[in-house]
């Protein structure tokens, strides 16, 4: 069974500083996709960034970037120039595909990030 | 605007009652999902559907039922067989394989 591990239950960062959230996963498949989702206090799940496993280049979206290490099964999220609005729960997730053609999204337990003014 | 609409936002249920949570999407997505979120937990998959009139159980399907009669709609019924139904429920959808999953705003269910 696929698993996603986020080893940091809580983190904090000063406004304008950089923070990295870690994520490791376990899969026997070669074809999968990785995601980071943000869940602010409103509880809305918002996509932050997406990475295809077959791509070696790390994905970047404005202040958000990932460090994807496929061999190590690691997928960390770096937030640069942290802003107060970045305060939220962050979930790492991935989709893998079974031989039967089915797929499902598996989530880690989340990291609570607090940005301090 | 395109999106996923869940209703109601807040629902209170007496023990022994069935309740149905609505999920409607106008994104023309083929796949739809229901997740449950408890404090300190990530999201756990209840049911998912890849096409109309077909759905599969997720990791925690016991005590829940779904239907997919229309592409746009994927209602979730929480039955009295669900022993601990108080939770936050998220509906989601995606175009299909490998595509990003988008979420509704969620529904809070409380058993009183």
């Amino acid at each position: 069974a696929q698993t996603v591990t986020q080893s940091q239950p809580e983190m904090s960062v000063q406004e304008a500083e950089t923070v990295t959230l870690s994520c490791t996963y376990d899969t026997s498949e070669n074809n999968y996709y990785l995601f980071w989702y943000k869940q602010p206090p409103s509880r809305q799940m918002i996509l932050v960034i997406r990475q295809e496993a077959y791509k070696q280049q790390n994905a970047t979206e404005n202040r958000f970037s990932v460090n994807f290490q496929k061999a190590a099964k690691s997928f960390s999220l770096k937030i640069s120039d942290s802003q107060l609005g970045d305060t939220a729960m962050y979930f790492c997730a991935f989709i893998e595909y079974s031989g039967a053609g089915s797929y499902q999204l598996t989530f880690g337990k989340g990291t609570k990030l607090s940005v301090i003014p | 605007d395109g999106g996923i609409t869940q209703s109601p936002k807040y629902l209170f249920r007496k023990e022994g009652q069935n309740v149905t949570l609505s999920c409607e999407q106008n994104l023309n997505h083929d796949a739809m999902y229901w997740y449950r979120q408890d404090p300190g937990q990530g999201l756990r998959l209840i049911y998912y559907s890849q096409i109309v009139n077909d759905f599969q159980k997720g990791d925690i399907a016991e005590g829940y039922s779904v239907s997919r009669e229309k592409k746009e709609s994927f209602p979730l019924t929480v039955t009295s067989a669900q022993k601990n139904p108080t939770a936050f429920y998220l509906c989601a959808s995606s175009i299909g394989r490998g595509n990003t999953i988008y979420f509704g705003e969620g529904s809070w269910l409380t058993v009183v």
Side-chain angles (χ1 to χ4, degrees):
Chain A
Q2 59 271 34
T3 59
V4 178
T5 302
Q6 294 180 247
S7 59
Q8 306 147 316
E10 292 191 41
M11 295 188 72
S12 61
V13 61
Q14 289 291 135
E15 193 174 7
E17 297 294 310
T18 295
V19 63
T20 298
L21 310 183
S22 65
C23 173
T24 58
Y25 58 93
D26 186 26
T27 178
S28 58
E29 301 290 337
N30 198 44
N31 182 20
Y32 54 91
Y33 296 78
L34 295 155
F35 305 86
W36 278 98
Y37 282 89
K38 167 185 176 181
Q39 189 179 42
S42 68
R43 291 283 200 155
Q44 175 83 48
M45 291 288 283
I46 302 166
L47 176 70
V48 174
I49 202 163
R50 160 197 163 106
Q51 173 83 42
E52 290 90 340
Y54 63 84
K55 288 188 177 179
Q56 293 185 339
Q57 185 174 5
N58 289 325
T60 300
E61 285 288 341
N62 300 317
R63 298 183 294 107
F64 299 89
S65 62
V66 299
N67 183 5
F68 174 47
Q69 302 289 328
K70 190 172 184 179
K73 297 181 180 176
S74 171
F75 183 60
S76 61
L77 174 70
K78 185 171 82 170
I79 306 174
S80 304
D81 186 24
S82 297
Q83 300 175 0
L84 296 178
D86 295 333
T87 293
M89 284 288 289
Y90 287 81
F91 292 96
C92 177
F94 83 104
I95 296 175
E96 70 171 12
Y97 298 94
S98 74
S102 66
Y103 58 96
Q104 84 180 50
L105 186 65
T106 302
F107 283 83
K109 292 191 174 183
T111 296
K112 183 179 180 181
L113 178 67
S114 299
V115 179
I116 303 167
Chain B
D1 285 349
I4 302 169
T5 302
Q6 290 186 236
S7 63
K9 177 77 172 174
Y10 300 95
L11 184 61
F12 295 87
R13 188 195 90 173
K14 291 183 178 180
E15 285 189 16
Q17 288 183 337
N18 293 352
V19 293
T20 297
L21 306 180
S22 170
C23 179
E24 303 279 333
Q25 54 97 1
N26 60 4
L27 301 168
N28 200 32
H29 285 174
D30 290 313
M32 296 187 75
Y33 314 80
W34 274 105
Y35 286 90
R36 170 178 170 146
Q37 187 177 27
D38 294 284
Q41 301 274 344
L43 276 66
R44 293 184 291 169
L45 182 66
I46 304 172
Y47 269 97
Y48 66 102
S49 168
Q50 297 186 34
I51 56 171
V52 175
N53 293 322
D54 184 58
F55 48 83
Q56 287 80 40
K57 293 181 179 180
D59 299 322
I60 56 166
E62 185 176 352
Y64 299 97
S65 66
V66 294
S67 63
R68 187 86 187 275
E69 297 176 0
K70 299 186 300 181
K71 187 176 184 178
E72 303 80 18
S73 179
F74 191 43
L76 173 74
T77 296
V78 185
T79 74
S80 57
Q82 171 49 238
K83 298 305 178 187
N84 187 21
T86 295
F88 185 62
Y89 291 87
L90 281 160
C91 178
S93 71
S94 67
I95 293 174
R97 291 166 57 105
N99 286 281
T100 302
I101 292 180
Y102 296 93
F103 289 84
E105 294 186 348
S107 294
W108 286 96
L109 173 63
T110 302
V111 174
V112 297

